[in-house]
């Protein structure tokens, strides 16, 4: 099979197209012909050698996919050859998803909804599971205001849709351009609740509108984590999806005795249980069921190109330079 490998930590020049043997299929695995994969910020953080690189088990990056099953492990009896499926594989598969083939534990996999293309389905697993874990792990009273940073991104979009469907309508969020503002309005956020962080003082505006928030969700990190920490109420809750809060933010959160809720897709795999992989397949089925029932809608996508070094390089630079405009970047693999 062909795959794009990372030969060294650093810049995008370290990617290379290589040939590999077909992955081995264990008894509880399925072999998937990948038809589309999505890019995520964790990809370029791994490429740069950041903390996330410790999760790198293969020189092939990529953590989610959609494709067709081409081979079944001996103990797999709940899928068939030819099934159209998707999965968040993290570091649990034979390799990453910048490749033509991948061997995956079958319990990670879910059948695609009929209404989604391979490209649309590939955009759901990672951001969808992140949003769903955050939504499921805390119950926010419907009357409480919520401050959510980076709401126009992939995780933010799905999380907002889940909250709105649950009756949590008092959501405030940030945006940095007209496209993001329009996107947030289209998914149901009041224009009055969208603050352009490039043109307005977030702390001043939100203090005037709300004061302090009992519930803050940070999807951005860095300087935005400091703003979120400033706005969270004493004894409030801070949901951290990035692990990119600054030391200043962490100090303020500690001083306020904030409850910090960490969200990590890799966490269920750390359980010492034979059923630990089922979490992923079940979560993805729940997301796809919500899409089928129009409770949430598919993530907007931008098809960057086909399997090539140039496509991977372009996608990584777009993510680094914040040029995704709220769309999930997709690579087609034929």
């Amino acid at each position: 099979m062909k795959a794009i490998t990372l030969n060294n930590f650093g810049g995008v020049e370290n990617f290379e197209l290589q040939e590999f043997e077909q992955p081995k299929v264990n008894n509880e695995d399925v072999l998937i012909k990948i038809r589309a994969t999505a890019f995520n910020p964790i990809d370029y953080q791994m490429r740069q050698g950041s903390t996330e690189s410790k999760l790198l088990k293969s020189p092939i990056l990529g953590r989610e996919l959609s494709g067709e099953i081409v081979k079944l492990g001996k103990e797999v009896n709940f899928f068939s050859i030819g099934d159209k499926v998707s999965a968040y594989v993290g570091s649990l598969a034979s390799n990453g998803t910048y490749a033509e083939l991948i061997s995956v534990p079958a319990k990670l996999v879910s059948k695609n909804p009929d209404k989604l293309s391979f490209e649309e389905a590939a955009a759901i697993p990672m951001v969808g599971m992140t949003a769903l874990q955050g939504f499921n792990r805390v119950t926010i009273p419907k009357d409480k205001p919520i401050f959510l940073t980076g709401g126009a991104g992939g995780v933010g979009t799905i999380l907002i849709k889940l909250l709105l469907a649950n009756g949590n309508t008092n959501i405030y969020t940030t945006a940095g351009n007209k496209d993001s503002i329009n996107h947030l309005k289209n998914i149901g956020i009041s224009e009055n609740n969208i603050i352009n962080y490039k043109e307005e003082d977030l702390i001043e505006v939100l203090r005037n509108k709300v004061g302090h928030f009992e519930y803050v969700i940070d999807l951005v990190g860095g300087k935005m984590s400091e703003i979120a920490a400033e706005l969270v109420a004493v004894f409030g809750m801070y949901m951290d999806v990035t692990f990119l809060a600054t030391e200043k933010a962490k100090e303020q959160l500690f001083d306020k005795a904030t409850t910090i809720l960490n969200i990590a897709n890799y966490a269920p795999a750390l359980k010492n249980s034979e059923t630990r992989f089922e979490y992923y397949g079940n979560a993805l089925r729940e997301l796809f069921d919500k899409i089928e029932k129009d409770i949430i809608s598919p993530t907007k996508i931008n098809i960057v190109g086909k399997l090539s070094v140039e496509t991977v390089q372009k996608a990584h630079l777009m993510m680094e330079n914040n040029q995704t405009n709220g769309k999930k970047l997709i690579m087609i693999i034929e």
Side-chain angles (χ1 to χ4, degrees), residues 173-189:
T173 190
T174 60
N177 56 62
K178 190 173 293 185
D179 286 342
S180 293
I181 291 171
N182 289 334
H183 171 68
L184 288 165
K185 288 163 62 177
N186 288 337
I187 64 174
I189 300 296

Side-chain angles (χ1 to χ4, degrees), residues 31-33 68-72 81-82 101:
L31 183 67
I32 300 173
K33 168 69 179 75
E68 296 170 285
I69 293 178
V70 294
K71 188 174 182 179
L72 302 172
I81 302 296
L101 294 167

Side-chain angles (χ1 to χ4, degrees), residues 25-242:
V25 182
N26 297 316
N27 288 344
E28 297 181 348
D29 293 350
V30 292
L31 183 67
I32 300 173
K33 168 69 179 75
I34 301 175
R35 297 289 298 274
T37 185
F39 296 97
N40 295 281
I42 193 175
D43 295 357
Y44 77 77
Q45 292 162 9
M46 284 183 162
R47 189 202 78 226
Q48 293 171 338
S50 70
T51 303
E52 301 291 358
S53 64
K54 71 180 184 296
L55 300 175
L56 188 59
K57 303 290 171 51
S58 162
I60 304 168
L61 299 184
R63 306 176 74 76
E64 59 188 333
L65 66 95
S66 187
E68 296 170 285
I69 293 178
V70 294
K71 188 174 182 179
L72 302 172
K74 292 180 180 178
E75 297 179 13
V76 178
N77 54 19
F78 45 92
F79 288 113
S80 301
I81 302 296
D83 280 349
K84 297 178 180 180
V85 296
S86 296
Y88 164 76
V89 300
S91 303
L92 304 171
S94 59
N95 46 264
T97 60
Y98 300 178
E100 292 180 321
L101 294 167
I102 190 168
S103 180
V104 182
K107 291 179 180 178
L108 300 180
V109 176
S110 174
K111 291 183 181 179
N112 291 353
D114 292 335
K115 67 195 301 182
L116 295 187
S117 66
F118 285 118
E119 294 79 17
E120 290 172 320
I124 298 297
M126 189 166 184
V127 294
M129 287 186 192
T130 303
L132 187 64
Q133 184 186 149
F135 176 76
N136 285 339
R137 288 182 61 197
V138 61
T139 300
I140 302 177
K142 294 178 175 60
D143 62 326
K144 294 293 185 181
I146 302 165
F147 176 49
L148 187 147
T149 69
V155 176
T157 296
I158 295 177
L159 183 50
I160 286 172
K161 289 175 179 176
L162 290 169
L163 288 166
L164 290 173
N166 190 55
N168 298 99
T169 58
N170 199 7
I171 302 169
Y172 293 80
T173 190
T174 60
N177 56 62
K178 190 173 293 185
D179 286 342
S180 293
I181 291 171
N182 289 334
H183 171 68
L184 288 165
K185 288 163 62 177
N186 288 337
I187 64 174
I189 300 296
S190 165
E191 186 171 7
N192 187 56
N193 288 20
I194 303 168
I195 301 92
N196 188 329
Y197 64 88
K198 292 183 178 179
E199 297 180 357
E200 300 179 86
D201 185 319
L202 284 174
I203 293 175
E204 181 181 354
V205 171
L206 288 170
R207 276 189 174 163
N208 288 334
K209 289 178 180 290
V210 177
H212 286 89
F213 291 81
E214 290 183 43
Y215 298 92
V216 168
I217 301 170
D218 184 21
L219 307 179
V220 178
K223 183 66 177 178
M224 196 63 76
S225 70
E226 297 176 7
I227 294 170
E230 180 73 26
L231 289 166
V232 73
V234 171
F235 301 135
M237 190 217 72
Y238 177 95
M239 185 184 296
D240 187 358
V241 182
T242 69

